[in-house]
Amino acid sequence: MEVSVNLTKTTLADGTTTSVTAGGNGTDGLASTPQDALENNKDQSTTGNVYGVYDVAGGLWERVAAYIHNGNDNLLLNGKSMVEESDPKSSNAFKTVYAYNAAEDTREANYNVNKSKKGDAMFETSSGDGYLSWYGDESSFMFGNAVFLHRGGTTLDNPGVGIFTFSNTPGMAGNPLGFRSTIIVK
């Protein structure tokens, strides 16, 4: 089942446009109450009903604790604490470090260096660089100064937004960027 993309936008007082959650706030034109918004947008839920997780596709780019260690200045400028936590060139329980192609630091070359790495759902669900993830979602690997990974896409990135979307970022602060807290239970 494909999770529908959250492409819901609202205009702020200063005239800028931003994403809103599928749950809505009663003022985004979706519904008069948050519960109505959840029911109206249940196709944006991971379960297809009001009990799933919303906003996994669209809404905003979600930061991921992953990067390529190619020596670019953005690693320390925008990710110092993550990069310097233990060995900056090795993955651990808190971050994933991908290899890069030293001869050709491009999205496609770096994707190809890492395509045998399984377990993070990038390579199980995509077949290359471009709109080659399942359901036509974007697959754009890290390269050059865009050394960090993020997932999901925004209301600005249609087509190619979806739960299988991944892309690169220099890692600076901005809108619409965020993160999702996760609890792993053993």
Side-chain angles (χ1 to χ4, degrees):
M1 171 188 100
E2 182 176 18
V3 175
S4 292
V5 175
N6 176 0
L7 296 176
T8 308
K9 298 178 186 178
T10 189
T11 303
L12 303 176
D14 65 2
T16 60
T17 302
T18 189
S19 305
V20 295
T21 65
N25 58 12
T27 62
D28 58 16
L30 293 175
S32 58
T33 68
Q35 183 62 33
D36 287 344
L38 290 171
E39 291 172 6
N40 292 348
N41 294 296
K42 63 185 175 204
D43 60 335
Q44 294 176 12
S45 159
T46 55
T47 58
N49 61 43
V50 298
Y51 301 107
V53 178
Y54 286 82
D55 295 325
V56 295
L60 57 83
W61 281 105
E62 293 185 1
R63 302 289 187 167
V64 179
Y67 60 89
I68 58 168
H69 196 277
N70 64 0
N72 186 273
D73 290 345
N74 283 337
L75 288 163
L76 293 180
L77 181 65
N78 299 322
K80 184 177 173 116
S81 63
M82 178 175 59
V83 171
E84 290 184 342
E85 187 272 323
S86 70
D87 180 3
K89 296 181 180 179
S90 297
S91 298
N92 63 31
F94 306 105
K95 66 182 181 182
T96 302
V97 181
Y98 290 92
Y100 76 102
N101 184 325
E104 185 183 2
D105 187 9
T106 65
R107 294 183 333 214
E108 186 171 3
N110 291 339
Y111 179 94
N112 288 332
V113 165
N114 290 283
K115 67 184 177 184
S116 64
K117 185 175 187 143
K118 306 295 184 208
D120 60 7
M122 282 201 297
F123 307 105
E124 293 87 343
T125 63
S126 67
S127 59
D129 184 68
Y131 294 98
L132 298 174
S133 287
W134 290 354
Y135 300 108
D137 291 358
E138 179 183 3
S139 56
S140 183
F141 206 73
M142 300 155 284
F143 75 106
N145 72 342
V147 293
F148 297 102
L149 179 69
H150 59 190
R151 293 180 178 259
T154 72
T155 58
L156 308 173
D157 299 320
N158 192 24
V161 173
I163 65 172
F164 302 108
T165 294
F166 62 90
S167 187
N168 53 67
T169 177
M172 70 288 199
N175 181 18
L177 304 169
F179 64 94
R180 185 176 302 269
S181 298
T182 306
I183 298 174
I184 300 172
V185 180
K186 290 186 178 189

